Amino acid sequence: MRLSTKARYGARALVDLALARPEDTTCVRDIAERQCISPKYLEQIMARLKAAGLVKALRGRHGGYALSRPAASITIKELFEVLEGPVAAVECVDDPASCPMSDVCPTRETWVQMKQALQNVLEQTSVQDLVDRENQR
Amino acid sequence: MRLSTKARYGARALVDLALARPEDTTCVRDIAERQCISPKYLEQIMARLKAAGLVKALRGRHGGYALSRPAASITIKELFEVLEGPVAAVECVDDPASCPMSDVCPTRETWVQMKQALQNVLEQTSVQDLVDRENQR
DNA sequence: AATATCCCTACTAAGAAAGTAGGATTGTAG
DNA sequence: CTACAATCCTACTTTCTTAGTAGGGATATT
C-alpha cells in the first residue's frame, strides 16, 4: 500500500508555491528543478491540482502557478483525494453495496477504522503546517 | 492506495480458521468455498501465512490449516505486514537514508504520522476481535 | 514577432496484482 | 500397500497501474 509519486510530488509542489509570495506565480520548470521532479510529469500533476481548484494558473510569458487559497486552508486530505483517490483503502468502506456481505463482514469495520485514522491525520495537516515545519529549520 | 485482495482474503481466512475448534484443521477448499475465493489463489496466501508462522499446516489426507496461536494473540498488523508489506506508505518513513532530503523534508513527518495512525488501528485489532464482531450478529 | 509559459493528448516501458495451471510430495484411510 | 486427498512448489498469463516521455497547440508578455 504505497503512496504514489503523484501525491508526494504534489505535496512538495504545494509547499514550494506556499513559500513564494501569494501574489507571485511560479513556473513548473522552477518547481521541478528545486524539487527534483520531471518537469513534464509535474505539468500533469499541476493540471490536476488546478482542475480541483487548489491552485490557479497564469498563461503566457512570466506565467506560472500560485495557490488559489491561503496555505492554511488547503489540507493534505484535499491533495490526497485529487492525486491519490479516495482515502478508503477498500471499496466497501465508501460503498457498502459494492460487496454483498458488507453488513455481516467482520473485517469491514477495521477497514473503516483505517480510513478514519488516515483521514484524521490528512485533515489536520494543512500546507501551511508543512511550511511551518520547513521554516523551523 | 488500495488494500490488495491478498490482505483482505487473508483476513477472512484467519477469521474462518478462528471459528473452527483450535485442534481441528480446515482445508483450503472449504475456506475458499465459504469465503468465495479462488482455491488456488488462497493456497498461495495460506503458504505465506504459514511461512510467517501465523498458521500451521497438516499435510496428507484430512490435512489442512489451523491457527498456530490463540486468535487473540494474532493482530491484523502481523497479517498486514505478511501480505501487504510494510505499513509505511512511503519508503523514507522506515528508511530515512532512502532519500537525501529526509532530514529537511517537511512532508516526511506527515507520512510518519500516517503510518503511526494506521499502525495503531492494525495493532489494536486481533483476529479474535473480528470473531467477536461476527458473533455479535 | 519571438518567446516563455500553460494546456492537451497520446504513447510507452516497467512493474504489480490477481489469478490460472500443472504437477510433486506427503500422510492417512481403507 | 494402494488410492486419494490434502499441502507444497514453480511457472505462466492477463490485466491494470505507475511513472514517466513526447510532441505539439494556445496564449500572453515583452
Side-chain angles (χ1 to χ4, degrees):
Chain A
M1 242 185 44
R2 290 301 176 96
L3 200 65
S4 73
T5 56
K6 278 202 189 71
R8 290 188 282 130
Y9 293 172
R12 280 156 51 192
L14 287 188
V15 172
D16 197 288
L17 288 183
L19 286 170
R21 287 181 306 183
E23 64 273 24
D24 289 354
T25 62
T26 311
C27 70
V28 166
R29 192 170 34 79
D30 288 353
I31 304 176
E33 197 163 329
R34 277 194 291 270
Q35 303 296 331
C36 302
I37 302 169
S38 149
K40 278 304 222 176
Y41 191 37
L42 184 55
E43 251 186 22
Q44 296 172 29
I45 294 169
M46 297 310 294
R48 287 227 230 172
L49 293 177
K50 192 204 164 193
L54 300 193
V55 301
K56 57 190 173 189
L58 215 69
R59 301 179 70 166
R61 199 163 186 182
H62 286 100
Y65 288 95
L67 297 185
S68 62
R69 292 185 267 139
S73 77
I74 302 177
T75 68
I76 301 302
K77 191 207 166 198
E78 293 180 83
L79 171 96
F80 188 99
E81 290 191 321
V82 171
L83 296 176
E84 194 78 21
V87 175
V90 184
E91 206 186 356
C92 66
V93 169
D94 287 334
D95 175 22
S98 68
C99 173
M101 302 177 133
S102 286
D103 50 340
V104 234
C105 178
T107 65
R108 179 169 178 273
E109 195 169 317
T110 296
W111 314 145
V112 170
Q113 287 171 1
M114 274 180 54
K115 175 191 171 174
Q116 285 167 345
L118 263 188
Q119 193 158 275
N120 263 351
V121 172
L122 297 174
E123 275 175 355
Q124 279 169 12
T125 309
S126 71
V127 173
Q128 185 62 50
D129 292 332
L130 301 187
V131 170
D132 292 346
R133 278 185 210 156
E134 178 127 326
N135 286 336
Q136 276 181 359
R137 314 185 230 238
Chain B
M1 240 187 43
R2 289 303 177 95
L3 200 65
S4 72
T5 55
K6 279 202 188 73
R8 290 187 282 130
Y9 292 172
R12 278 155 54 191
L14 287 187
V15 172
D16 197 288
L17 289 182
L19 286 169
R21 287 181 308 183
E23 64 273 25
D24 288 355
T25 63
T26 312
C27 71
V28 166
R29 191 170 36 79
D30 289 354
I31 304 176
E33 196 163 328
R34 277 193 292 269
Q35 304 295 333
C36 302
I37 303 171
S38 149
K40 279 301 222 177
Y41 191 35
L42 184 56
E43 252 185 22
Q44 297 172 27
I45 293 169
M46 297 310 294
R48 287 227 228 170
L49 293 177
K50 193 204 163 191
L54 299 193
V55 302
K56 57 191 174 189
L58 215 70
R59 303 181 68 166
R61 198 163 187 179
H62 287 101
Y65 289 94
L67 297 184
S68 63
R69 292 185 267 140
S73 77
I74 302 178
T75 66
I76 301 302
K77 191 207 166 197
E78 294 181 82
L79 172 96
F80 189 98
E81 290 192 321
V82 171
L83 297 176
E84 196 76 21
V87 175
V90 184
E91 205 186 357
C92 67
V93 169
D94 287 334
D95 175 22
S98 68
C99 173
M101 303 176 131
S102 287
D103 49 341
V104 234
C105 178
T107 64
R108 180 169 177 272
E109 194 169 316
T110 296
W111 314 145
V112 170
Q113 287 171 2
M114 274 180 54
K115 174 189 170 173
Q116 284 167 346
L118 263 187
Q119 193 158 277
N120 263 353
V121 172
L122 296 173
E123 275 176 354
Q124 279 168 13
T125 309
S126 71
V127 172
Q128 185 62 50
D129 292 332
L130 301 187
V131 170
D132 291 345
R133 279 184 208 155
E134 178 124 327
N135 286 336
Q136 276 180 358
R137 316 187 230 237

